[in-house]
């Protein structure tokens, strides 16, 4: 990671979300209190910090994320035509380039988003499906190999989180893992994001409007503030709080698929990206994300043990997947509908 010391400091006078900090090392060792804390975090905030220091798996993710942060500078630095030559196609595929201003506006201010992405499919990285065009900086052999390792490792961490959750919930350890098989066609991807520094007119744009992620587990690396989640403090429930970046930690959050699989017991929290606070807002912001999503053939219904909770699992506010009477959706179609709805 670029060291947090090299960036303007995160200010001390903004509200930050009190999310748990859990170490990967302790989850790998099945430490009971860390496993219990993981479940607690996923039933409440739907977000937690995962400390990646002190384990080979974690430290290789940290160094890969630093490298991808560097690559992001070069890729996004190009002019728009260079990037749009690799555009994603809404409703068809979400892999490729997403320009700023194309995500559905969900905040009351209706400000367009100012964040651009490159979404790089796990299926392309690992030859599970034929690839598509990406910029030369991404397909360069060294970067492609690093993206392969990063996606494999991030997926493995996602599976560990899913096993811990299943075990803590008292269901089969593989109940969620079996919905997210690495070798199967899926919407899993690495996302590189870029949001320009703060602009003088605050009404002009919002980094990323409030949303929930669609998939199972998201692993997020960011270096500057700007990510916000909604408060659970009784005094200000629903107000936005910053998730402060913490050195050596990734941020883990659950997506809507986990809400569906558990009929609402686990939470996919709403989040958004605004200008980084204070001095941090003066510099461009990058983040590196891995999304674990159920493989296309996974059935989008509650797993065994959660069916009886029926109806509590509505996800993403107004989102209602169109399910023909008496049928269930598979993840490929479910994710497609969600992507069309979000516009990304
Ligand atoms: O950049 C961030 O901190 C969050 C990005 C995010 O929420 C997303 O890409 O879904
Ligand atoms: Fe997100």
């Amino acid at each position: 990671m670029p060291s947090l010391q090299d960036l303007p400091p995160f200010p001390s006078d903004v509200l930050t979300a009190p999310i748990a900090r859990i170490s990967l090392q302790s989850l790998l060792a099945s430490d009971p209190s860390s496993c219990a804390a993981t479940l607690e975090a996923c039933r409440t905030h739907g977000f937690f910090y995962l400390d990646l220091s002190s384990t080979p798996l974690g430290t290789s993710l940290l160094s890969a994320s630093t490298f991808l942060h560097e690559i992001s500078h070069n890729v996004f630095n190009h002019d728009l035509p260079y990037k749009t030559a690799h555009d994603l196609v809404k409703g068809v595929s979400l892999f490729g380039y997403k320009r700023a201003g194309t995500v559905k506006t969900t905040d009351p201010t209706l400000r367009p988003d100012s964040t651009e992405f490159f979404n790089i499919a796990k299926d392309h990285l690992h030859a599970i499906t034929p690839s598509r065009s990406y910029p030369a900086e991404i397909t360069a052999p060294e970067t492609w190999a690093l993206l392969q390792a990063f996606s494999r490792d991030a997926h493995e961490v996602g599976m560990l989180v899913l096993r811990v959750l299943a075990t803590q919930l008292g269901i089969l350890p593989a109940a969620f893992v079996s919905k997210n098989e690495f070798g199967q066609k899926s919407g899993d991807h690495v996302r590189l994001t870029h949001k320009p520094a703060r602009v003088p007119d605050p009404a002009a744009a919002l980094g990323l409007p409030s949303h929930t992620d669609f998939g199972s587990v998201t692993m997020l690396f960011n270096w500057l503030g700007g990510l916000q989640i909604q408060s659970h403090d009784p005094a200000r429930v629903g107000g936005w709080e910053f998730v402060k970046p913490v050195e050596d930690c990734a941020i883990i959050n659950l997506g809507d698929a986990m809400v569906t699989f558990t009929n609402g017991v686990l939470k996919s929290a709403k989040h958004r990206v605004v200008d980084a606070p204070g001095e941090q807002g003066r510099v461009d912001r990058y983040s590196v994300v891995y999304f674990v999503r159920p493989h296309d053939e996974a059935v989008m219904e509650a797993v065994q043990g959660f069916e009886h909770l029926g109806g509590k699992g509505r996800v993403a506010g107004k989102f209602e997947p169109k399910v023909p009477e008496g049928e269930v959706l598979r993840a490929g179609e479910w994710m497609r509908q969600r992507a069309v709805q979000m516009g990304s």
Side-chain angles (χ1 to χ4, degrees):
M1 242 192 232
S3 171
L4 296 178
Q5 271 85 58
D6 301 337
L7 297 166
F10 186 91
S12 55
D13 59 350
V14 295
L15 288 174
T16 55
I19 59 175
R21 180 170 174 166
I22 296 164
S23 86
L24 176 60
Q25 193 177 34
S26 66
L27 292 185
L28 286 166
S30 304
D31 167 61
S33 70
S34 304
C35 293
T38 304
L39 177 61
E40 177 62 15
C42 294
R43 295 183 104 130
T44 53
H45 287 96
F47 268 81
F48 64 93
Y49 293 110
L50 188 65
D51 186 334
L52 297 174
S53 57
S54 319
T55 61
L57 177 59
T59 48
S60 62
L61 279 161
L62 286 169
S63 59
S65 71
T66 308
F67 183 90
L68 293 172
H69 182 276
E70 299 298 310
I71 298 291
S72 299
H73 277 268
N74 307 337
V75 177
F76 290 114
N77 213 8
H78 286 287
D79 59 15
L80 194 61
Y82 179 91
K83 294 180 279 196
T84 56
H86 309 282
D87 250 350
L88 54 75
V89 185
K90 261 191 216 174
V92 178
S93 169
L94 41 77
F95 308 129
Y97 178 66
K98 181 209 84 77
R99 63 188 94 183
T102 54
V103 171
K104 187 173 175 200
T105 54
T106 49
D107 278 49
T109 58
L110 299 182
R111 284 172 287 173
D113 72 277
S114 59
T115 303
E116 51 182 349
F117 307 153
F118 269 105
N119 293 339
I120 307 144
K122 171 269 283 169
D123 290 355
H124 298 166
L125 290 166
H126 297 277
I128 293 164
T129 62
S131 192
R132 57 151 294 143
S133 75
Y134 294 105
E137 290 88 348
I138 288 176
T139 56
E142 193 196 355
T143 310
W144 197 252
L146 186 112
L147 283 161
Q148 287 172 328
F150 177 77
S151 53
R152 206 179 309 106
D153 290 350
H155 201 280
E156 191 176 325
V157 170
M159 295 308 99
L160 173 65
V161 170
L162 294 184
R163 262 195 306 276
V164 166
L165 290 172
T167 306
Q168 291 292 306
L169 288 166
I171 58 175
L172 285 176
F176 303 129
V177 167
S178 63
K179 301 264 187 193
N180 297 274
E181 284 178 19
F182 187 80
Q184 295 215 31
K185 183 171 181 287
S186 75
D188 293 27
H189 61 282
V190 180
R191 173 174 294 174
L192 308 178
T193 91
H194 167 234
K195 187 189 95 58
R198 185 189 295 132
V199 290
D201 176 9
L206 180 69
L208 211 51
S210 78
H211 65 280
T212 50
D213 294 341
F214 314 163
S216 300
V217 184
T218 303
M219 182 174 214
L220 169 63
F221 296 85
N222 58 30
W223 293 266
L224 290 174
L227 175 67
Q228 293 186 318
I229 60 175
Q230 288 180 308
S231 182
H232 286 238
D233 182 329
R236 49 173 191 276
V237 175
W240 292 104
E241 295 175 341
F242 284 101
V243 179
K244 180 182 174 177
V246 175
E247 187 111 40
D248 290 342
C249 288
I251 297 161
I252 304 286
N253 66 286
L254 297 190
D256 297 336
M258 294 303 291
V259 179
T260 294
F261 293 151
T262 61
N263 248 327
V265 169
L266 299 179
K267 303 286 186 270
S268 63
K270 266 195 199 159
H271 53 285
R272 67 177 190 175
V273 178
V274 299
D275 287 329
E279 286 295 290
Q280 293 200 330
R282 287 191 295 104
V283 279
D284 282 20
R285 179 181 190 277
Y286 298 87
S287 61
V288 174
V289 197
Y290 186 74
F291 294 95
V292 176
R293 292 182 168 176
H295 51 261
D296 284 8
E297 289 303 312
V299 175
M300 295 303 294
E301 63 182 5
V303 299
Q304 220 178 353
F306 290 85
E307 319 88 322
H308 63 287
L309 300 171
K312 292 196 189 142
R314 276 194 51 191
V315 295
K318 295 192 220 72
F319 172 63
E320 302 270 13
K322 293 188 191 66
V323 191
E325 194 59 32
E327 288 181 28
V328 282
L329 283 188
R330 300 214 175 238
E333 175 57 17
W334 197 86
M335 297 293 154
R336 196 193 62 74
Q337 287 192 24
R338 282 287 276 128
V340 170
Q341 184 227 13
M342 268 308 281
S344 72

